[in-house]
Amino acid sequence: MRLTLAFATLALAATPATAQSLREEVRADMPGLIEIYQDLHANPELSGMEVETAAKLAKRARDMGFEVTEGVGGTGVVAVMENGPGPVLMIRADMDGLPVVEQTGLPFASKVTAVAPASGVETGVMHACGHDTHMTTWVGTAQLLTEKKDQWSGTLVMILQPAEETGEGAKAMLDDGLYTRFPKPTHVIGFHDAAAGPAGYIGISPGYALANVDSVDVTVRGLGGHGAYPHTTKDPIVIASRIVTTLQTIVAREINPLESAVITVGSFNAGAKHNIVPDEATLLLTVRSYTPEVRKQLLDGIRRIANAEAIAAGVPEDRMPIIHIRDDEFTPSTYNTPDLANHALALFKDNFGDDKVREATPVMGGEDFSRYWLADNSIESLIFWVGGQPLADWQAAGGDSSKLPSLHSPFWAPDADAVISTATEAMTLLALDILDEK
């Protein structure tokens, strides 16, 4: 069942009596947390440029008593609190905003501009993916766990990760010794706000949760010439058009229907004038999958089809297509270890009520949270969703998220109070469970 449909008809769940104490503590902290959220929202920084964000949150962690290291993997922050023997729990939040001009109309809307490294173009900057709610929850959870040190035993490693949006941050922190310079985690947890659910509702996907994301550039090379004499050319536009349509047969006819796969051609660029057949056409693809086997099948199929269409068109061997799989932009699929995911489902249902927690369908988006588990498969790992759509908007849309702003939209304005309070309560609850002193 899709996350959107699963949440469409939910009623507000009753609050179990056992949850009251923690919930009241979270509510008491919310005014201060909302101030933090609004400041973070108004002052976003692009991927790899999170200097001020990292500094202000590192100071907060240091003031709580954490041993804090800055500059890990660029602008990353690692805050460690040792509290006796036991598991090592790592809690991650991402820091970067997006090159988006905010149009929410919020009184604390971002007016920040910056030059985007990828394009060199000055742009507005916005927390259009909700990382401001992630960081605020990180602070709220750290505060509560610090206050409750007598209720847990083990080591708490709180990390702030840069450059999630570009898929570079987790790898950069790991390459900079995250698991060697600091206590290596036995458990890693995080959360992401969701536009596919009403504010404050929780979704968990045991097993695969998010997809492998590959970016592929295909340069189709032909023989250019005059548009009036096409027989003297090898038209790369025609060849590329055939490639676009044939690529869809990989998913439709080569991948097991029980597996998930996507090939989308996001850009087709060729030519400059009406009567000139160009030498080249360029296709930019996004390719999505879950398993390594399906990923390989998709990428191999792209290579085969591109070359086959060129051969069929009579393109000389030295003008075969160039296929560039952009390894620098690859984000591996995210896997929630089933034991931890199912345990969290039961824990959250008991705390929030069955109607407010659902097993969610995996999505084809990407998240470099995946790398923390892939770096060591012995680690228990979980990233869960917390719905962000304001409840009144969700109900007015009949639970159809396609009628509402999505993540990365300039209009994305989650119900921050509901997201942060729910996520902070859930994260603290799960942390205390993992680090149970008994």
Side-chain angles (χ1 to χ4, degrees):
M1 184 159 46
R2 290 176 56 86
L3 178 62
T4 303
L5 298 178
F7 284 132
T9 58
L10 291 180
L12 287 172
T15 302
T18 55
Q20 287 294 342
S21 177
L22 177 58
R23 190 153 308 163
E24 288 167 1
E25 292 177 80
V26 173
R27 290 313 314 171
D29 288 344
M30 283 308 297
L33 292 176
I34 289 297
E35 287 184 16
I36 294 170
Y37 165 75
Q38 291 180 354
D39 175 63
L40 292 168
H41 186 90
N43 297 286
E45 295 175 292
L46 291 174
S47 303
M49 301 167 66
E50 311 92 339
V51 176
E52 292 183 11
T53 302
K56 69 177 68 172
L57 295 180
K59 182 181 185 303
R60 287 186 176 275
R62 200 172 278 117
D63 290 346
M64 291 180 213
F66 285 86
E67 182 179 337
V68 178
T69 304
E70 299 179 65
V72 181
T75 59
V77 176
V78 179
V80 179
M81 180 173 289
E82 295 181 346
N83 190 36
V88 179
L89 171 62
M90 190 172 87
I91 298 178
R92 172 266 207 173
D94 36 12
M95 298 187 288
D96 48 335
L98 285 160
V100 173
V101 178
E102 181 163 354
Q103 299 180 54
T104 62
L106 292 169
F108 50 90
S110 169
K111 297 178 175 60
V112 172
T113 61
V115 176
S119 65
V121 175
E122 187 172 24
T123 176
V125 184
M126 177 191 174
H127 272 301
C129 202
H131 293 186
D132 43 3
T133 66
H134 305 175
M135 290 183 284
T136 307
T137 294
W138 187 90
V139 173
T141 303
Q143 288 178 176
L144 286 166
L145 290 174
T146 301
E147 294 165 4
K148 296 177 180 295
K149 285 180 69 175
D150 62 335
Q151 297 180 31
W152 59 271
S153 183
T155 299
L156 183 60
V157 181
M158 307 280 299
I159 72 165
L160 293 164
Q161 180 204 301
E164 185 278 328
E165 296 293 353
T166 59
E168 300 169 302
K171 184 176 186 299
M173 292 191 78
L174 287 162
D175 288 348
D176 199 15
L178 181 61
Y179 285 1
T180 56
R181 294 168 54 195
F182 307 98
K184 184 179 175 182
T186 57
H187 299 73
V188 180
I189 61 175
F191 95 97
H192 204 299
D193 67 311
Y201 290 80
I202 295 174
I204 295 178
S205 302
Y208 286 109
L210 295 111
N212 291 311
V213 180
D214 281 285
S215 297
V216 181
D217 303 347
V218 180
T219 303
V220 181
R221 301 185 293 174
L223 299 173
H226 200 298
Y229 314 108
H231 60 289
T232 66
T233 73
K234 299 295 181 186
D235 191 339
I237 294 178
V238 172
I239 299 167
S241 298
R242 289 174 178 163
I243 291 171
V244 170
T245 55
T246 308
L247 286 177
Q248 303 313 309
T249 65
I250 300 175
V251 175
R253 287 295 177 269
E254 297 183 28
I255 302 297
N256 185 327
L258 299 179
E259 299 283 0
S260 297
V262 171
I263 298 176
T264 295
V265 180
S267 175
F268 187 137
N269 186 40
K273 198 172 185 300
H274 298 76
N275 63 345
I276 298 175
V277 175
D279 282 330
E280 293 185 352
T282 303
L283 305 175
L284 304 182
L285 284 61
T286 186
V287 182
R288 312 278 172 138
S289 58
Y290 291 126
T291 69
E293 294 79 14
V294 171
R295 177 182 180 237
K296 183 179 186 302
Q297 195 173 356
L298 292 171
L299 297 178
D300 288 349
I302 290 167
R303 293 188 188 94
R304 186 188 73 246
I305 285 171
N307 284 316
E309 291 293 351
I311 291 169
V315 173
E317 187 173 345
D318 63 352
R319 297 287 291 168
M320 286 293 106
I322 300 171
I323 294 93
H324 179 207
I325 298 167
R326 302 184 66 92
D327 292 333
D328 57 324
E329 296 184 10
F330 170 60
T331 299
S333 58
T334 301
Y335 187 78
N336 285 332
T337 52
D339 285 349
L340 181 58
N342 287 315
H343 180 74
L345 267 171
L347 185 71
F348 292 165
K349 285 184 177 183
D350 184 60
N351 183 74
F352 294 99
D354 286 352
D355 290 339
K356 207 170 179 183
V357 180
R358 284 289 187 272
E359 184 171 332
T361 300
V363 299
M364 278 294 178
E367 238 286 1
D368 71 352
F369 181 84
S370 58
R371 292 191 180 275
Y372 299 117
W373 176 75
L374 287 169
D376 185 338
N377 294 171
S378 71
I379 296 170
E380 291 288 324
S381 177
L382 172 67
I383 188 168
F384 59 92
W385 300 100
V386 176
Q389 295 287 0
L391 191 56
D393 296 345
W394 180 262
Q395 291 172 337
D400 184 353
S401 61
S402 68
K403 297 178 181 178
L404 298 167
S406 66
L407 299 180
H408 292 207
S409 162
F411 300 102
W412 177 239
D415 181 341
D417 185 280
V419 173
I420 294 164
S421 61
T422 301
T424 300
E425 183 178 345
M427 197 73 77
T428 304
L429 184 73
L430 184 55
L432 289 172
D433 184 81
I434 292 169
L435 297 170
D436 189 340
E437 64 178 349
K438 293 178 289 187

